[in-house]
Amino acid sequence: MSISMKMSGFREIEKALARLPAGAAKGVARRAMRDELKPVAATANAFWPGSSDDVFRIGSRLSKGQRGASAVPTGRSVTNLFVGSPGGRNGTPEAHLIEFGTGPRFQKKGRFTGSVAPQPMLQPAWDMHKQSMLEGLGARLWGEIEKTMDRRAKRASRG
């Protein structure tokens, strides 16, 4: 899913981030984005049926299958964070089946094994928080930039 939007004030943020080393700038962006995505993940977890577990988490890695089909920009200078359910032992690999539902499923011999009706969780969570998240991202980025600059100045004065 892609969104078109017009944002202002980010040119100054971009200049401030450019004055920081690349690693520090990336850390600033990650911390700000992670803090702004927390309400989306919390709301999606609240919508998860029948469980008090935190199924949806904020992460930066996609599986191989997701990377191949993704239209998300990549590169060393790009910072991407996602809200989703990690698969494997530490996640809930069936979350996407509940989120989007399934069509009728049949075994090879033709026996019907059921279908799952969609129960959206992430899309409503995103819709509820996207405006406040995007508005708060600029302020949060400035706060993180100031904290990082203060830490770097304090470290430079010590040594």
Side-chain angles (χ1 to χ4, degrees):
M1 171 181 58
S2 64
I3 301 171
S4 298
M5 66 185 96
K6 183 174 174 76
M7 301 174 80
S8 60
F10 280 85
R11 185 160 291 144
E12 293 81 14
I13 291 173
E14 190 175 7
K15 288 178 184 175
L17 287 171
R19 288 193 298 263
L20 293 171
K26 200 164 194 170
V28 164
R30 278 180 185 259
R31 285 189 300 273
M33 289 168 51
R34 187 175 308 275
D35 287 345
E36 287 298 319
L37 285 172
K38 282 180 182 176
V40 176
T43 303
N45 282 321
F47 289 154
W48 180 254
S51 176
S52 61
D53 296 337
D54 285 345
V55 173
F56 299 103
R57 299 184 197 134
I58 301 166
S60 60
R61 297 181 189 217
L62 295 173
S63 69
K64 287 182 181 179
Q66 291 170 318
R67 276 181 288 204
S70 177
V72 176
T74 59
R76 294 189 70 136
S77 63
V78 177
T79 301
N80 292 317
L81 290 181
F82 307 94
V83 176
S85 176
R89 288 187 295 186
N90 299 330
T92 308
E94 70 275 6
H96 70 285
L97 298 174
I98 296 171
E99 172 85 16
F100 300 111
T102 66
R105 295 172 296 159
F106 297 90
Q107 291 182 347
K108 288 182 182 178
K109 293 185 178 183
R111 191 176 76 115
F112 179 68
T113 57
S115 63
V116 176
Q119 295 179 345
M121 294 156 271
L122 283 170
Q123 185 65 46
W126 170 255
D127 290 340
M128 289 168 78
H129 295 287
K130 69 180 172 186
Q131 192 62 39
S132 62
M133 184 199 76
L134 294 172
E135 290 169 359
L137 185 59
R140 183 123 14 213
L141 276 167
W142 273 122
E144 287 293 334
I145 289 170
E146 289 170 359
K147 283 192 239 178
T148 301
M149 296 269 223
D150 290 345
R151 275 195 307 270
R152 292 179 63 76
K154 194 181 290 186
R155 204 175 296 144
S157 69
R158 273 192 261 150

